[in-house]
mmCIF file of all heavy atoms in Angstrom:
data_model
loop_
_atom_site.group_PDB
_atom_site.id
_atom_site.type_symbol
_atom_site.label_atom_id
_atom_site.label_comp_id
_atom_site.label_asym_id
_atom_site.label_seq_id
_atom_site.Cartn_x
_atom_site.Cartn_y
_atom_site.Cartn_z
ATOM 1 N N LEU A 249 49.783 -37.801 20.448
ATOM 2 C CA LEU A 249 49.470 -38.303 21.774
ATOM 3 C C LEU A 249 50.235 -39.608 21.966
ATOM 4 O O LEU A 249 50.493 -40.336 20.999
ATOM 5 C CB LEU A 249 47.960 -38.543 21.925
ATOM 6 C CG LEU A 249 47.078 -37.302 21.849
ATOM 7 C CD1 LEU A 249 45.614 -37.695 21.683
ATOM 8 C CD2 LEU A 249 47.258 -36.439 23.094
ATOM 9 N N PHE A 250 50.540 -39.930 23.229
ATOM 10 C CA PHE A 250 51.403 -41.077 23.477
ATOM 11 C C PHE A 250 50.777 -42.046 24.472
ATOM 12 O O PHE A 250 49.964 -41.667 25.328
ATOM 13 C CB PHE A 250 52.766 -40.611 23.981
ATOM 14 C CG PHE A 250 53.492 -39.727 23.006
ATOM 15 C CD1 PHE A 250 53.549 -38.348 23.220
ATOM 16 C CD2 PHE A 250 54.063 -40.252 21.864
ATOM 17 C CE1 PHE A 250 54.190 -37.526 22.308
ATOM 18 C CE2 PHE A 250 54.703 -39.428 20.952
ATOM 19 C CZ PHE A 250 54.759 -38.062 21.164
ATOM 20 N N VAL A 251 51.192 -43.288 24.345
ATOM 21 C CA VAL A 251 50.692 -44.356 25.195
ATOM 22 C C VAL A 251 51.000 -44.060 26.662
ATOM 23 O O VAL A 251 52.006 -43.431 26.991
ATOM 24 C CB VAL A 251 51.318 -45.700 24.749
ATOM 25 C CG1 VAL A 251 52.801 -45.744 25.080
ATOM 26 C CG2 VAL A 251 50.600 -46.880 25.359
ATOM 27 N N ASN A 252 50.090 -44.486 27.539
ATOM 28 C CA ASN A 252 50.245 -44.381 28.993
ATOM 29 C C ASN A 252 50.296 -42.946 29.506
ATOM 30 O O ASN A 252 50.722 -42.716 30.645
ATOM 31 C CB ASN A 252 51.492 -45.136 29.478
ATOM 32 C CG ASN A 252 51.365 -46.638 29.317
ATOM 33 O OD1 ASN A 252 50.266 -47.183 29.397
ATOM 34 N ND2 ASN A 252 52.481 -47.305 29.072
ATOM 35 N N ARG A 253 49.866 -41.989 28.680
ATOM 36 C CA ARG A 253 49.810 -40.595 29.119
ATOM 37 C C ARG A 253 48.376 -40.089 29.010
ATOM 38 O O ARG A 253 47.695 -40.351 28.023
ATOM 39 C CB ARG A 253 50.748 -39.725 28.281
ATOM 40 C CG ARG A 253 52.203 -40.167 28.340
ATOM 41 C CD ARG A 253 53.129 -39.186 27.677
ATOM 42 N NE ARG A 253 54.501 -39.669 27.608
ATOM 43 C CZ ARG A 253 55.529 -38.963 27.193
ATOM 44 N NH1 ARG A 253 55.345 -37.703 26.812
ATOM 45 N NH2 ARG A 253 56.742 -39.484 27.154
ATOM 46 N N LYS A 254 47.960 -39.344 30.008
ATOM 47 C CA LYS A 254 46.565 -38.894 30.086
ATOM 48 C C LYS A 254 46.166 -38.061 28.875
ATOM 49 O O LYS A 254 46.928 -37.210 28.404
ATOM 50 C CB LYS A 254 46.357 -38.076 31.357
ATOM 51 C CG LYS A 254 44.912 -37.610 31.564
ATOM 52 C CD LYS A 254 44.782 -36.760 32.818
ATOM 53 C CE LYS A 254 45.382 -35.384 32.615
ATOM 54 N NZ LYS A 254 45.122 -34.470 33.751
ATOM 55 N N VAL A 255 44.960 -38.335 28.383
ATOM 56 C CA VAL A 255 44.331 -37.541 27.330
ATOM 57 C C VAL A 255 42.988 -37.051 27.859
ATOM 58 O O VAL A 255 42.218 -37.831 28.419
ATOM 59 C CB VAL A 255 44.111 -38.374 26.045
ATOM 60 C CG1 VAL A 255 43.418 -37.534 24.974
ATOM 61 C CG2 VAL A 255 45.434 -38.927 25.538
ATOM 62 N N THR A 256 42.719 -35.761 27.694
ATOM 63 C CA THR A 256 41.431 -35.205 28.101
ATOM 64 C C THR A 256 40.620 -34.905 26.849
ATOM 65 O O THR A 256 41.053 -34.131 25.990
ATOM 66 C CB THR A 256 41.607 -33.922 28.936
ATOM 67 O OG1 THR A 256 42.438 -34.207 30.064
ATOM 68 C CG2 THR A 256 40.255 -33.411 29.429
ATOM 69 N N LEU A 257 39.457 -35.553 26.756
ATOM 70 C CA LEU A 257 38.539 -35.332 25.646
ATOM 71 C C LEU A 257 37.519 -34.285 26.069
ATOM 72 O O LEU A 257 36.929 -34.383 27.156
ATOM 73 C CB LEU A 257 37.831 -36.636 25.274
ATOM 74 C CG LEU A 257 38.745 -37.840 24.998
ATOM 75 C CD1 LEU A 257 37.903 -39.096 24.785
ATOM 76 C CD2 LEU A 257 39.637 -37.573 23.806
ATOM 77 N N MET A 258 37.287 -33.274 25.217
ATOM 78 C CA MET A 258 36.429 -32.153 25.581
ATOM 79 C C MET A 258 35.494 -31.832 24.415
ATOM 80 O O MET A 258 35.899 -31.920 23.248
ATOM 81 C CB MET A 258 37.288 -30.921 25.906
ATOM 82 C CG MET A 258 38.420 -31.205 26.873
ATOM 83 S SD MET A 258 39.607 -29.839 27.033
ATOM 84 C CE MET A 258 38.618 -28.652 27.933
ATOM 85 N N ALA A 259 34.263 -31.459 24.730
ATOM 86 C CA ALA A 259 33.308 -31.106 23.679
ATOM 87 C C ALA A 259 32.345 -30.040 24.193
ATOM 88 O O ALA A 259 32.080 -29.942 25.397
ATOM 89 C CB ALA A 259 32.522 -32.337 23.208
ATOM 90 N N ARG A 260 31.839 -29.243 23.265
ATOM 91 C CA ARG A 260 30.851 -28.221 23.612
ATOM 92 C C ARG A 260 30.064 -27.828 22.370
ATOM 93 O O ARG A 260 30.536 -27.979 21.244
ATOM 94 C CB ARG A 260 31.543 -26.978 24.178
ATOM 95 C CG ARG A 260 32.520 -26.285 23.234
ATOM 96 C CD ARG A 260 33.244 -25.159 23.938
ATOM 97 N NE ARG A 260 34.334 -24.614 23.122
ATOM 98 C CZ ARG A 260 35.288 -23.813 23.582
ATOM 99 N NH1 ARG A 260 35.287 -23.459 24.865
ATOM 100 N NH2 ARG A 260 36.248 -23.353 22.793
ATOM 101 N N ARG A 261 28.851 -27.336 22.607
ATOM 102 C CA ARG A 261 28.071 -26.735 21.530
ATOM 103 C C ARG A 261 28.512 -25.287 21.365
ATOM 104 O O ARG A 261 28.837 -24.616 22.339
ATOM 105 C CB ARG A 261 26.582 -26.804 21.868
ATOM 106 C CG ARG A 261 26.000 -28.212 21.807
ATOM 107 C CD ARG A 261 24.641 -28.305 22.434
ATOM 108 N NE ARG A 261 24.725 -28.130 23.884
ATOM 109 C CZ ARG A 261 23.847 -28.604 24.765
ATOM 110 N NH1 ARG A 261 22.804 -29.287 24.331
ATOM 111 N NH2 ARG A 261 23.986 -28.392 26.054
#
Side-chain angles (χ1 to χ4, degrees):
L249 295 167
F250 300 104
V251 70
N252 292 329
R253 301 188 186 187
K254 183 182 73 173
V255 178
T256 304
L257 307 174
M258 311 170 71
R260 61 186 171 194
R261 289 167 291 205

